[in-house]
Amino acid sequence: MISCGCFGGTTFHGLALAPSICRSPSMFSPLRTLTLTFAATNPHHRLLSRVLFPTIVRAFSSTALPTAPITKQEGKAAAKPQWKAAIDFKWIRDNKDVVAANIKNRNSNANLDLVLELYEKFLNLQKEVERLRAERNVVANKMKGKLEPSVRQALVEEGKNLKEGLVSLEEDLVQLTDQLRQEAQCLPNITHPDVPIGGEESSIIRKMVRSPWEFNFNIKDHLELGKDLDLFDFDAAAEVSGSKFYYLKNEAVLLEMGLINWAIAEVSKRGYIPLITPEIVRSSVVEKCGFQPRGQNTQVYSIENNDQCLIGTAEIPVGGIHMDSILPDSALPLKYVAYSHCFRTEAGAAGTATRGLYRVHQFSKVEMFIFCRPEESNLYHEELIAIEEDLFSSLGLHFKTLDMATGDLGAPAYRKFDVEAWMPGLGRYGEISSASNCTDYQSRRLGIRYRPSSDTPATSKKGKGSNLAPTQFVHTLNATACAVPRMIICLLENFQQEDGAVVIPEPLRPYMGGLNVISPKAKTSQ
């Protein structure tokens, strides 16, 4: 996942840091703050085709929450959000060895021992609360008949003491429940059994496309090309905004717009609904998608004295579009292709590997996102990586697709494929895209379920007949169709010519007003 957007006026706020609750690694670190205002469009939904696929292993399971027709809860208070993920603690306790191994393989700092300790305390406290409630009911029932005044007074005193004790224990139970859920929400998703175990170096190449372009002249990197062709201005942007910002100029503007329109057009042909997303979201939505918006290692820009953040990827607002909803089975899969700007602090990033456009604080991105049935998510993961490979291959790029190892997976990902393209000017491969299957990790936090269609009536636990099947959590997937700055690097460096010009790949030309070549500017005489 890499991200994009449209914006208008800009307001600036001060820097603010807040402690992180979870310590597990995430893509998102130190906070600078600014806000953007923009207009968003929402196209009409379309019902898309269904494909069945075997059910995959799920990290956590739980009973369905209360159901309703496709509904969205609105008008919630803007106070500090207290959200709850639907986590099955019994499953975690019964499979603690599996969970512990998964945490170790993914280099997560989640504290399983603390989760299990809190869960045991929760069970014991819950039993005590239920015992006192039962005793209070017994006392209340005894007071219904005719009693001697002394007996009634004794029961009143006993009921009063039970009530006071119960209030205190219930308050402790609420606090313990919140602490338990906060710790459990730090646990990473379970991992696909075929994912290689180890650090990034253990990742496996799935596919290699084309061979590197050969040059019979001294090649330049994108910074040299950009300077010679008058495409970028990093110096002015540094004065205006700080390091890792940039101005695009002349044909580079056409190139960015062309890449965005080309990517959206190509993905839309495959049945994906175009979106332009909000670029400011609530911190709770960032958390529900599996990222940590505040803390020492976050990549998220947070707004001071506010519960909102700038998005680091369109995955976040698209993931939240059906938050707290029950989707009809006939609506699945829901496929979106979203454009937004993305904002990342890139804390700790330095050195030649991050020069120029490779790692910046603001960039445009086109993101694909799918909501689907659990048994279909592996299939749609393959669909997403196939789309990425088709897009990049059509531009004539040399790239490899990787099955990323456990140590490189973010907390939400069950499995992740990365695409790394050859950047000859930089002399190395660089990540230009990724595709992640997050199974039900995000939907359990976002509250996104669907009601399977059923030919036979379902029976509830209470024995009442019902024509409604129990709801299930959808699976979510995301993938990058086009991360603009890194695509610009690839295009400039791979298609440079000996005379300093850059040839535009044929698929992009209709989206750039028919421009075929970016030519060196004629030097004006003094």
Side-chain angles (χ1 to χ4, degrees):
M1 61 160 248
I2 311 177
S3 294
C4 53
C6 256
F7 64 89
T10 306
T11 315
F12 296 85
H13 298 263
L15 172 66
L17 282 171
S20 175
I21 295 171
C22 298
R23 297 159 299 284
S24 56
S26 77
M27 65 159 278
F28 284 125
S29 279
L31 318 170
R32 271 148 252 176
T33 59
L34 60 133
T35 65
L36 306 176
T37 57
F38 52 85
T41 61
N42 291 309
H44 296 295
H45 293 179
R46 297 174 300 182
L47 299 183
L48 306 174
S49 61
R50 304 176 218 166
V51 186
L52 295 179
F53 197 77
T55 304
I56 65 170
V57 177
R58 301 200 307 182
F60 307 115
S61 61
S62 75
T63 55
L65 301 177
T67 60
I70 185 165
T71 30
K72 182 164 285 196
Q73 299 172 9
E74 300 183 12
K76 293 182 179 178
K80 183 179 179 181
Q82 295 294 326
W83 59 276
K84 297 178 180 179
I87 297 173
D88 188 343
F89 296 100
K90 183 178 183 298
W91 188 95
I92 296 172
R93 183 189 64 186
D94 295 345
N95 297 273
K96 62 181 180 180
D97 291 341
V98 173
V99 177
N102 188 57
I103 291 172
K104 179 182 179 181
N105 291 340
R106 295 171 72 122
N107 292 329
S108 170
N109 291 322
N111 193 335
L112 176 60
D113 289 338
L114 180 57
V115 171
L116 296 175
E117 178 187 335
L118 291 172
Y119 181 52
E120 198 62 34
K121 289 181 179 179
F122 166 81
L123 292 177
N124 293 333
L125 186 56
Q126 188 178 51
K127 289 178 182 177
E128 183 64 16
V129 167
E130 290 173 352
R131 184 185 67 79
L132 288 183
R133 286 173 179 167
E135 288 187 14
R136 186 183 61 177
N137 290 338
V138 169
V139 171
N141 289 331
K142 287 181 179 179
M143 294 179 64
K144 291 179 180 179
K146 291 183 178 181
L147 301 171
E148 294 292 329
S150 59
V151 175
R152 180 174 294 278
Q153 184 59 35
L155 290 173
V156 168
E157 289 297 324
E158 184 179 358
K160 181 180 178 182
N161 292 335
L162 287 171
K163 181 180 179 181
E164 290 175 353
L166 188 58
V167 168
S168 177
L169 287 180
E170 286 175 338
E171 289 176 353
D172 292 342
L173 184 62
V174 168
Q175 293 178 5
L176 183 59
T177 302
D178 285 344
Q179 187 181 1
L180 172 59
R181 289 187 180 276
Q182 291 286 6
E183 289 295 334
Q185 283 160 190
C186 298
L187 296 173
N189 199 353
I190 209 71
T191 306
H192 189 289
D194 293 340
V195 170
I197 296 174
E200 185 178 357
E201 69 283 354
S202 300
S203 301
I204 297 173
I205 297 177
R206 282 169 46 99
K207 189 175 184 180
M208 186 76 77
V209 177
R210 296 182 180 272
S211 299
W213 291 95
E214 296 183 0
F215 300 90
N216 56 8
F217 57 89
N218 292 328
I219 60 174
K220 304 173 183 178
D221 66 16
H222 73 283
L223 282 171
E224 294 176 272
L225 290 163
K227 182 178 180 181
D228 293 347
L229 297 172
D230 196 22
L231 300 178
F232 318 134
D233 193 333
F234 286 91
D235 294 336
E239 293 295 325
V240 171
S241 303
S243 64
K244 298 187 185 299
F245 287 93
Y246 57 95
Y247 286 97
L248 293 183
K249 300 169 61 179
N250 300 314
E251 292 91 343
V253 176
L254 300 180
L255 187 54
E256 167 152 334
M257 295 298 112
L259 282 165
I260 292 166
N261 286 313
W262 163 76
I264 292 174
E266 288 298 315
V267 177
S268 295
K269 290 177 185 177
R270 294 164 166 86
Y272 288 68
I273 302 167
L275 284 179
I276 294 178
T277 73
E279 295 174 351
I280 296 176
V281 297
R282 298 185 188 277
S283 299
S284 59
V285 177
V286 178
E287 292 175 354
K288 290 174 184 180
C289 287
F291 307 112
Q292 301 310 316
R294 301 179 188 276
Q296 292 299 319
N297 296 314
T298 182
Q299 292 289 341
V300 180
Y301 284 101
S302 291
I303 301 174
E304 189 177 32
N305 300 321
N306 201 300
D307 72 337
Q308 294 173 312
C309 305
L310 298 184
I311 63 171
T313 167
E315 170 190 348
I316 295 168
V318 181
I321 196 170
H322 296 298
M323 185 167 62
D324 300 324
S325 295
I326 299 174
L327 304 171
D329 186 61
S330 59
L332 298 177
L334 279 170
K335 303 180 180 181
Y336 294 102
V337 54
Y339 163 72
S340 76
H341 286 107
C342 305
F343 305 88
R344 301 184 187 179
T345 67
E346 296 297 355
T352 57
T354 64
R355 292 175 63 236
L357 292 174
Y358 191 82
R359 200 174 295 280
V360 292
H361 291 310
Q362 174 185 333
F363 60 97
S364 300
K365 182 165 71 79
V366 179
E367 184 83 357
M368 298 178 285
F369 198 98
I370 297 177
F371 300 90
C372 70
R373 302 174 190 86
E375 65 270 19
E376 299 173 343
S377 63
N378 280 340
L379 178 65
Y380 286 121
H381 197 197
E382 294 293 339
E383 175 180 299
L384 288 171
I385 193 64
I387 291 174
E388 292 178 335
E389 291 170 348
D390 287 348
L391 291 175
F392 306 142
S393 180
S394 73
L395 295 180
L397 299 180
H398 164 55
F399 62 88
K400 58 184 177 180
T401 303
L402 301 166
D403 192 350
M404 301 309 292
T406 53
D408 195 66
L409 299 182
Y414 172 66
R415 192 178 194 180
K416 180 166 77 88
F417 302 141
D418 277 5
V419 177
E420 295 184 357
W422 179 246
M423 301 175 178
L426 296 179
R428 62 182 177 85
Y429 290 95
E431 181 189 346
I432 61 171
S433 179
S434 69
S436 297
N437 182 359
C438 298
T439 62
D440 58 1
Y441 188 90
Q442 293 175 327
S443 62
R444 288 177 176 277
R445 289 153 172 76
L446 291 162
I448 307 172
R449 293 157 286 152
Y450 80 104
R451 190 183 301 282
S453 59
S454 178
D455 296 331
T456 57
T459 304
S460 68
K461 290 184 178 180
K462 293 183 179 180
K464 296 179 180 179
S466 172
N467 290 323
L468 296 178
T471 59
Q472 297 180 31
F473 288 99
V474 300
H475 280 196
T476 63
L477 304 95
N478 65 82
T480 307
C482 181
V484 171
R486 294 190 184 179
M487 288 299 293
I488 290 178
I489 294 175
C490 289
L491 297 178
L492 294 183
E493 294 188 0
N494 280 285
F495 301 118
Q496 59 182 297
Q497 306 298 302
E498 189 171 7
D499 64 357
V502 173
V503 175
I504 302 300
E506 193 169 334
L508 293 177
R509 295 174 186 175
Y511 300 94
M512 296 181 63
L515 183 68
N516 297 335
V517 178
I518 302 175
S519 301
K521 309 295 182 294
K523 295 183 179 180
T524 57
S525 57
Q526 297 293 330

